[in-house]
Amino acid sequence: MPLPKKILLLGSGELGKEFAISAKRLGCQIVACDNYPNAPAHQVADEQEVFNMLSAPELKNIVTKHAPDIIVPEIEAIRTEALIDLESQGIQVVPNANAVNYTMNRDRIRDLVAENLGIRTAIYGYAESEKECLNVANSIKYPLVMKPVMSSSGKGQSLVKSESELKRAWEYAQSGMRGDRERVILEEYIDFKYEITLLTIRQKQGSTLFCSPIVHRQERGDYQESWQPIEMNQDRLREAQEIAKKVTDQLGGVGLFGVELFITDDEVIFSELSPRPHDTGMVTLVSQNLSEFDLHARSILGLPIPEILINKPAASHVVLAEKDGMSPKYIGVEDALSIAGVDVRIFGKTTSRVNRRMAVCLATADSVKEARQKASKAAKLISLEYE
Ligand SMILES: Nc1ncnc2c1ncn2[C@@H]1O[C@H](COP(=O)(O)OP(=O)(O)OP(=O)(O)O)[C@@H](O)[C@H]1O
Ligand SMILES: [Mg+2]
């Protein structure tokens, strides 16, 4: 397949930015899209477009204007029906339009995995009103987790310990919903030992590849830190890889997927997956010979991936904004970078909101423990200032 290719990137956040850099290193031309100007990936792309990606006509206009070879979605909020049409016209959609469609909402992918493939997930049910929540909750038992079917980064998600907390959780879920479906999933709370992201790569030619599992810690349903490698029981790892392969084979297409799994004392439980690089996978920017963004770029371009190696134990730690503001300035970056083995990625977001992810600190060390300490220390040294 001759290079370069023209890529239309739908969603221009920090993951899109790193993907754009990886693809540009392979000579690709990037048209980065988002619903606001000067988003992180816009800043490193050849061209930028600002429009509503939930509008099929607007999306089709942009595709006609740029005539891309490949469409790479970076976010969930995209009119997937338009992608299905565009794919049928011969444009490569990553990983494919079917996978994007299935993973856009929690209910579609969950039903596919649990019911069609018979893979263990948390026991779950759906509700579209407070009353339905009560019925479903009674069948699952407390504590349980409630989430909107359309949301990400923990938005609208809460732990419900008893019936008295259901009303508050339902209202909170409504406030965090994206799209027009007032629907929530209620799930058995899994008291896991740890949770992993298993980065799984489907190739045009060649077998499915796996990165070494990434462990992560979440707060408010949002990732705080991740690290790699981990010591994991080999049988458990094989089970995790089998689940990831089964699900990604069912979805099909080519590219990197982030498969999220809960690991308990005796089980591997499927949680959800992203058909694209995963936020917790930013650690691979320093841990591996090829980052998750390089792997995504190579696989969608049909380029070989002869080996995936871990260079050194590594960790990532997010830098979150403490308040809402415009054009933030970053203080303490010098202090963070003076720690040996630490690197910083400032995303370049034009505005901040409370708890919005603005940067990530990456660290390598001789052990994962030390890498986590360094990344966390570096993140604490960085703060945001506004004019
Ligand atoms: N059933 C559950 N039991 C225990 N913890 C859970 C459960 N569901 C979610 N969590 C916790 O909340 C986190 C976020 O949940 P989930 O991945 O489903 O939502 P999300 O909003 O899509 O997050 P992201 O977009 O950051 O991946 C999980 O990584 C896990 O730590
Ligand atoms: Mg998740």
Side-chain angles (χ1 to χ4, degrees):
M1 189 201 243
L3 290 171
K5 293 283 174 207
K6 189 169 190 181
I7 295 177
L8 189 75
L9 179 64
L10 299 178
S12 294
E14 58 269 33
L15 303 178
K17 179 181 179 183
E18 291 297 339
F19 168 76
I21 292 169
S22 292
K24 282 220 64 67
R25 284 179 172 156
L26 293 168
C28 293
Q29 202 184 336
I30 310 286
V31 181
C33 309
D34 212 310
N35 62 5
Y36 71 99
N38 218 22
H42 283 154
Q43 300 165 25
V44 297
D46 297 277
E47 290 181 80
Q48 65 165 281
E49 290 286 359
V50 178
F51 68 99
N52 174 11
M53 286 168 285
L54 280 169
S55 155
E58 285 187 51
L59 180 55
K60 287 184 176 174
N61 277 342
I62 293 292
V63 170
T64 306
K65 177 175 167 190
H66 293 282
D69 301 299
I70 311 176
I71 298 178
V72 178
E74 191 242 347
I75 54 163
E76 280 159 13
I78 296 171
R79 182 59 60 206
T80 49
E81 292 83 344
L83 293 182
I84 293 168
D85 272 4
L86 292 163
E87 190 175 68
S88 68
Q89 291 163 26
I91 302 176
Q92 181 186 346
V93 174
V94 170
N96 64 20
N98 176 56
V100 178
N101 196 28
Y102 264 106
T103 50
M104 183 170 175
N105 299 327
R106 294 182 197 282
D107 41 359
R108 266 185 224 150
I109 182 70
R110 177 56 64 92
D111 291 345
L112 181 78
V113 170
E115 287 177 24
N116 299 17
L117 299 178
I119 289 168
R120 164 79 162 111
T121 66
I123 298 164
Y124 67 97
Y126 305 114
E128 297 189 1
S129 67
E130 206 184 311
K131 190 159 163 271
E132 274 181 22
C133 284
L134 182 63
N135 293 337
V136 176
N138 285 338
S139 70
I140 297 176
K141 311 245 176 340
Y142 299 93
L144 50 88
V145 181
M146 192 191 296
K147 311 170 207 178
V149 290
M150 272 191 88
S151 76
S152 58
S153 304
K155 290 195 186 76
Q157 172 181 328
S158 60
L159 182 69
V160 189
K161 291 194 197 112
S162 64
E163 190 177 320
S164 64
E165 294 179 357
L166 263 186
K167 185 178 166 58
R168 173 200 50 77
W170 167 250
E171 286 167 359
Y172 182 60
Q174 280 176 313
S175 73
M177 266 174 210
R178 194 160 26 74
D180 43 18
R181 297 167 76 216
E182 283 209 345
R183 192 173 206 221
V184 295
I185 182 167
L186 290 106
E187 271 187 23
E188 164 196 16
Y189 174 78
I190 307 287
D191 191 14
F192 51 80
K193 263 190 359 201
Y194 57 92
E195 58 180 319
I196 62 170
T197 303
L198 188 58
L199 298 174
T200 304
I201 302 114
R202 278 182 59 86
Q203 307 189 83
K204 276 190 184 159
Q205 282 166 350
S207 56
T208 294
L209 304 173
F210 302 99
C211 293
S212 167
I214 295 164
V215 181
H216 48 94
R217 187 177 62 77
Q218 308 254 338
E219 274 174 28
R220 303 173 305 276
D222 201 17
Y223 129 79
Q224 305 299 307
E225 52 167 344
S226 64
W227 58 94
Q228 193 194 29
I230 51 155
E231 275 174 32
M232 191 171 165
N233 170 299
Q234 287 307 302
D235 290 338
R236 210 41 62 68
L237 176 60
R238 218 167 294 123
E239 204 181 324
Q241 291 179 339
E242 275 166 19
I243 292 173
K245 174 133 183 6
K246 215 168 170 182
V247 177
T248 52
D249 278 352
Q250 178 72 24
L251 293 171
V254 290
L256 174 139
F257 297 74
V259 181
E260 295 180 34
L261 302 153
F262 300 137
I263 313 295
T264 67
D265 277 329
D266 44 21
E267 279 187 304
V268 178
I269 302 173
F270 175 89
S271 173
E272 59 162 5
L273 99 166
S274 64
R276 59 183 75 92
H278 197 268
D279 50 10
T280 62
M282 281 192 282
V283 66
T284 61
L285 286 164
V286 294
S287 60
Q288 297 187 165
N289 61 331
L290 296 167
S291 74
E292 62 168 346
F293 308 101
D294 300 332
L295 292 166
H296 199 45
R298 280 203 192 193
S299 54
I300 70 180
L301 293 166
L303 297 170
I305 303 170
E307 59 182 0
I308 305 173
L309 301 171
I310 294 216
N311 296 325
K312 259 195 130 180
S316 76
H317 197 293
V318 300
V319 176
L320 304 178
E322 284 176 355
K323 58 179 193 178
D324 299 3
M326 304 275 285
S327 311
K329 303 276 178 290
Y330 297 79
I331 313 294
V333 178
E334 298 86 337
D335 299 329
L337 290 180
S338 67
I339 305 171
V342 164
D343 208 348
V344 174
R345 297 283 187 277
I346 292 175
F347 305 147
K349 291 178 183 170
T350 50
T351 56
S352 71
R353 288 186 300 275
V354 176
N355 289 332
R356 189 174 193 196
R357 198 184 303 146
M358 303 301 283
V360 68
C361 291
L362 304 163
T364 54
D366 291 334
S367 70
V368 155
K369 188 174 170 211
E370 200 190 331
R372 283 180 66 191
Q373 282 166 350
K374 284 186 184 184
S376 146
K377 185 175 170 196
K380 284 197 189 84
L381 289 168
I382 299 179
S383 60
L384 276 63
E385 199 182 69
Y386 305 85
E387 275 162 14

